[in-house]
């Protein structure tokens, strides 16, 4: 070890918390929009070494925690940006809300570090500490990231394996998702980092390490080529460019409708699947609400007329999927009849104006549609960002809507698409997934990360995903995770074509998250068995 390396090791030992914190920040640059995956992978390699060299379990937990807190805070900075689009709370609270959320989220990397440390210290033979620790850490990370996806309603954004997803035409290492699942891809990411760390520690492996990095780069950067479909379900996907500042401005509602209508009407003599985003329609389209709820409507307080007007826009033989808000009407605490709860929904509307089906969002957005840790954060002056006081309630989960000639549509509203293994009804597999979203809240980092995670769902489920957003990034993604067309941020536009074909059910779509948990067991077993085999070989030699 040369003098500079010794100095770095000495600094890491003297300032272990600072090093872990810095590694967390650096690793987050591997995600979109920066996509500095070589930097991210290198930082994970150093993390594996740093955790493995902790003197005791407390040191491992503290280093894992600080890494996780810094890493997840930077990666989720888009949540803070959302606070600039409301007036109820000071904007600076957004920069408080994200670190507070990550105080909790960082527990999961800390638990993974703890589990790896406790086991590795008992079984790792001399000279193989990093390899054994890193393999155990990868196994533990798979489990803890999976738990993070459902504990306390769940928040899996972002999965560590997201850094291995290539650009729009190059899925990269994420090609393995059908056989791994998202959480096992995160473990695989740490396994690659462990190989890099071991290469640096055991210099006799240096050539193999460089070869491995070269192969990884080739897989990440190599494009996949195939022809787009030329027949099937015709679609018209609309991005109307409705800025967040206009979403709740009643004086803009009619202008918004005319904007989306102008983009939609060309070609409405054909049979099409028309796709509008979340927050596209301010009107209540269902009948039966007290009249006061229809007062703000663009269509003269008449939901039947509003539906018929939309039907004329999309065309007689078309079907529209669009985001709406539905109300649950009942007796309120003051004894009046009114909305007792609301549901963020998608309606399927026919060309005759009839409602054909609906879906209610199951995973609500933290800080957006509900306030996590409300018992603590309300005392600090925080509240949810969505306008109004009516409580949002969650729907029952994945559903497939049968739209006849326009196929079977799986629906995932906004950030529901980030929940691996929870986006498709396993008993009624759809032909495609529709993912309407309003990403206008989420700054520079949120929209590209959101799109990337939609691509991961397409790959692991073997299903195309069609995303219509208010301000971008809207996209058509095929079942290989390739973006066939997109509309960038800050643009109004439309995508036309035929829905890409679905693949046969993948191994992941059949097994769900039992698959990545199985891979975690395989890695843990490998870490336990390998030292025994090495010890036996040395004893015989």
């Amino acid at each position: 070890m040369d003098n500079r390396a010794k100095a770095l090791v000495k600094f890491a030992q003297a300032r272990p918390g600072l090093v872990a914190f810095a590694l967390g920040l650096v690793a987050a640059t591997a995600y979109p929009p920066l996509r500095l995956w070589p930097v991210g992978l290198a930082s994970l390699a150093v993390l594996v070494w740093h955790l493995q060299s902790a003197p005791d379990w407390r040191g491992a937990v503290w280093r894992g925690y600080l890494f996780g807190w810094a890493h997840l805070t930077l990666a989720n900075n888009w949540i803070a940006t959302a606070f600039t689009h409301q007036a109820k709370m000071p904007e600076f609270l957004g920069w408080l809300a994200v670190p507070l959320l990550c105080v909790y989220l960082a527990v999961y990397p800390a638990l993974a570090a703890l589990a790896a440390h406790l086991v590795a210290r008992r079984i790792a033979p001399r000279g193989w500490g990093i390899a054994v620790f890193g393999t155990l850490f990868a196994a533990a990370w798979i489990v803890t990231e999976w738990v993070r996806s459902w504990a306390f309603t769940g928040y899996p954004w972002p999965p560590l394996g997201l850094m291995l997803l290539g650009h729009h035409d190059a899925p990269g290492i994420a090609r393995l998702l059908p056989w791994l699942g998202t959480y096992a891809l995160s473990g695989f990411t740490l396994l690659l980092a462990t190989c890099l760390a071991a290469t640096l520690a055991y210099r006799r492996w240096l050539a193999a390490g460089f070869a491995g990095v070269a192969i990884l780069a080739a897989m990440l950067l190599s494009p996949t080529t195939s022809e787009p479909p030329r027949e099937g379900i015709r679609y018209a996907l609309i991005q109307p460019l409705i800025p967040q500042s206009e979403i709740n401005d009643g004086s803009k509602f009619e202008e918004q409708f005319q904007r989306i209508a102008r983009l939609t009407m060309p070609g409405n003599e054909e049979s099409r699947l028309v796709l509008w985003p979340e927050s596209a329609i301010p009107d209540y389209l269902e009948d039966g609400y007290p009249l006061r709820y229809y007062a703000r409507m663009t269509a003269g307080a008449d939901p039947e007329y509003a539906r018929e007007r939309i039907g004329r826009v999309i065309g007689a033989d078309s079907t529209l999927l669009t985001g709406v808000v539905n109300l649950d009407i009942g007796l309120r605490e003051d004894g009046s009849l009114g909305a007792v709860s609301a549901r963020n929904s998608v309606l399927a509307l026919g060309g005759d104006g009839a409602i054909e089906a609906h879906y209610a969002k199951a995973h609500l957005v933290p800080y957006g549609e509900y306030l996590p840790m409300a018992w603590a954060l309300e005392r600090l002056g925080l509240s949810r960002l969505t306008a109004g006081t009516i409580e949002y309630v969650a729907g029952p989960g994945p559903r497939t809507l049968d739209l006849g000639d326009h196929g079977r549509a799986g629906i995932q509203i906004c950030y529901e698409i980030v929940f691996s293994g929870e986006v498709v009804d396993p008993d009624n597999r759809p032909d495609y997934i529709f993912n309407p979203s309003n990403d206008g809240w989420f700054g520079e980092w949120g929209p590209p990360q959101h799109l990337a995670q939609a691509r991961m769902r397409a790959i692991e489920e073997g299903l195309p995903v069609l995303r219509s957003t208010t301000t971008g990034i809207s996209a058509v993604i095929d079942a290989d995770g390739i973006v066939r067309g997109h509309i960038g941020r800050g643009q109004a536009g439309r995508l036309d074509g035929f829905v890409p074909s679905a693949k046969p059910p993948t191994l992941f779509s059949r097994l769900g998250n039992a698959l990545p948990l199985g891979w975690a067991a395989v890695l843990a077993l490998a870490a336990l068995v390998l030292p025994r085999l090495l010890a036996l070989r040395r004893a015989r030699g």
Side-chain angles (χ1 to χ4, degrees), residues 1 26 47 124-125 132 139 144-145 159 198 215 281 311 368 385 395 414 428 468 475:
M1 185 181 294
V26 173
L47 174 70
V132 172
T144 56
E145 193 171 84
I215 293 170
I281 299 177
L385 297 172
C414 190
N428 190 8
S468 174

Side-chain angles (χ1 to χ4, degrees), residues 150-477:
W150 55 261
F152 305 106
T153 76
Y155 187 76
W157 188 314
L160 194 68
L162 181 64
M163 65 176 63
L164 295 186
L165 179 70
H167 288 278
H168 288 184
D169 62 346
I173 299 293
R175 289 181 174 92
L176 300 176
L177 280 169
W179 298 277
L180 295 179
T182 289
Y183 307 126
L185 184 66
S186 295
F188 184 75
T189 305
L190 283 171
L191 201 59
L192 289 173
T194 297
C195 291
L196 182 57
T199 298
L200 297 175
Y202 317 135
R203 294 193 176 188
R204 62 184 180 272
W205 292 7
L206 200 57
F210 281 123
V213 172
I215 293 170
L216 174 63
M219 290 187 69
L220 279 170
L221 300 175
S222 60
T224 299
T225 57
S226 59
E227 291 294 322
R230 300 184 183 278
E231 59 182 8
I233 303 169
R234 186 183 297 274
Y235 67 81
L237 187 152
I238 310 301
Q239 180 171 299
L241 188 56
I242 303 175
Q244 194 60 36
S245 58
E246 295 183 7
I247 290 289
N248 297 304
D249 185 350
S251 67
K252 300 281 189 180
F253 286 169
E254 180 61 24
E255 178 189 341
Q256 292 169 12
F257 179 80
Q258 294 302 327
R259 191 183 310 164
I260 202 169
R262 285 193 298 270
L263 287 166
T264 304
M265 289 184 70
N268 68 357
E269 69 280 357
E270 298 180 301
S271 176
R272 308 172 300 169
L273 175 66
V274 180
L275 304 170
W276 289 359
E278 182 186 28
S279 304
I281 299 177
D283 296 345
Y284 294 120
L285 299 181
E286 293 196 326
D287 298 316
Y289 300 164
L291 289 178
R292 65 182 181 275
Y293 290 102
Y294 299 120
R296 70 172 193 168
M297 289 178 54
T298 63
D302 184 347
E304 181 178 5
Y305 173 72
R307 295 193 301 268
E308 291 175 351
R309 182 167 77 151
I310 293 171
R312 291 192 293 272
V313 168
I314 66 174
D317 298 322
S318 296
T319 298
L320 170 69
L321 290 174
T322 183
V324 295
V325 173
N326 288 336
L327 302 178
D328 299 317
I329 303 299
L331 286 176
R332 300 190 296 189
E333 292 183 359
D334 61 3
S336 64
L337 187 67
V340 293
S341 59
R343 299 176 188 271
N344 190 348
S345 302
V346 162
L347 287 185
L349 199 70
D352 58 357
I355 296 176
E356 298 177 351
H358 64 85
Y359 166 86
K361 185 177 185 179
H363 284 288
L364 304 181
V365 179
Y367 296 110
E369 293 157 323
Y370 78 97
L371 186 66
M373 299 185 293
W375 56 271
L377 299 185
E378 285 179 347
R379 297 179 181 179
L380 299 175
L382 292 170
S383 63
R384 77 175 194 203
L385 297 172
T386 305
T389 58
I390 302 172
E391 179 185 3
Y392 278 85
V393 295
R399 293 291 184 273
T400 299
L401 308 184
D402 189 343
L403 305 180
D405 291 342
H406 298 117
R408 299 186 307 277
I411 311 296
Q412 292 291 291
I413 300 174
C414 190
Y415 113 120
E416 284 189 302
I417 199 71
V418 309
F419 289 86
S420 175
E422 300 181 43
V423 300
V424 169
D425 181 352
D427 298 322
N428 190 8
R429 182 174 166 84
D431 299 315
Y432 54 88
I433 297 171
F434 176 48
N435 176 220
S437 187
N438 172 15
D439 286 2
W441 296 87
F442 300 138
E444 298 291 333
W445 285 50
Q449 289 183 17
H450 204 173
L451 172 62
Q453 291 177 87
R455 293 177 61 204
M456 295 178 79
R457 296 296 82 74
I459 299 168
E460 68 184 0
E461 294 288 351
L463 292 171
V465 175
L466 297 93
R467 302 194 75 234
S468 174
T469 70
T470 50
T471 59
I473 307 167
S474 299
V476 174
I477 307 163

Side-chain angles (χ1 to χ4, degrees), residues 120-135:
R121 281 301 169 100
R122 292 177 178 271
I123 67 171
R126 181 176 298 178
W128 288 86
I130 288 179
V132 172
F133 176 88
T135 304

Side-chain angles (χ1 to χ4, degrees), residues 521-538:
V522 169
L523 289 175
L525 183 62
L528 293 171
V529 170
L530 182 61
R532 295 178 183 272
L533 293 177
L534 291 171
L536 182 62
R537 181 179 177 183
R538 286 176 178 174

